[in-house]
């Protein structure tokens, strides 16, 4: 069994290595974005291919305005980006990190299925 000094040292080391409370809060906020089934579905669609708002709305079975609202939230969280193409905007995942989060999450939930 560890003595009290070893336990104190271990606790100190863990505390020193943990991200700051602000960073932990940002991480929790990021994961909240994935906690909404509609947003997760939109991210899943964009993982497959870049889409216009109308295409996303039809794919997920929602109105364009409802999808646009979710896309604003996802853009603010830096999970998706839009590229202007003529009069329309085509949406994609913001970067490879978002793809990896989706892949790891799906691997985890499908683990024993």
């Amino acid at each position: 069994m560890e003595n009290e000094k070893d336990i104190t040292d271990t606790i100190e080391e863990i505390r020193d290595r943990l991200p700051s409370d602000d960073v932990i809060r940002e991480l929790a906020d990021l994961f909240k974005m994935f906690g909404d089934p509609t947003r997760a579905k939109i991210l899943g669609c964009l993982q497959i291919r870049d889409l216009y708002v109308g295409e996303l709305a039809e794919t997920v079975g929602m109105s364009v305005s409802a999808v646009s609202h979710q896309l604003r939230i996802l853009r603010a969280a830096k999970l998706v980006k839009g590229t202007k193409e003529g009069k329309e905007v085509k949406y994609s995942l913001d970067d490879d990190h978002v793809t990896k989060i989706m892949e790891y999450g799906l691997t985890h939930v499908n683990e024993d299925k």
Side-chain angles (χ1 to χ4, degrees):
M1 175 133 184
E2 292 185 70
N3 66 37
E4 199 169 313
K5 180 172 178 0
D6 290 340
I7 293 169
T8 302
D9 289 347
T10 299
I11 291 169
E12 293 266 335
E13 179 190 350
I14 292 169
R15 284 183 179 158
D16 288 344
R17 294 178 62 188
L18 273 176
S20 71
D21 287 348
D22 288 342
V23 171
I24 292 290
R25 199 170 299 103
E26 285 182 44
L27 179 64
D29 288 343
L30 170 68
F31 282 115
K32 284 179 190 176
M33 294 295 111
F34 294 91
D36 179 274
T38 300
R39 288 193 290 265
K41 190 180 274 190
I42 289 170
L43 292 169
C45 291
L46 295 176
Q47 187 178 9
I48 296 166
R49 67 176 279 208
D50 300 352
L51 295 165
Y52 296 104
V53 179
E55 294 172 326
L56 269 169
E58 192 168 326
T59 303
V60 299
M62 295 174 58
S63 70
V64 169
S65 63
V67 170
S68 292
H69 172 72
Q70 295 300 330
L71 286 168
R72 277 192 297 280
I73 293 169
L74 292 168
R75 279 180 78 163
K78 298 180 184 160
L79 295 173
V80 302
K81 61 184 174 188
T83 305
K84 190 97 166 153
E85 292 188 3
K87 292 183 179 183
E88 293 195 65
V89 177
K90 189 173 247 187
Y91 286 89
S92 61
L93 296 181
D94 191 73
D95 60 27
D96 192 45
H97 297 119
V98 182
T99 301
K100 287 179 182 173
I101 293 169
M102 290 294 292
E103 287 173 357
Y104 289 137
L106 289 168
T107 298
H108 183 73
V109 299
N110 288 316
E111 220 165 27
D112 291 322
K113 292 186 180 179

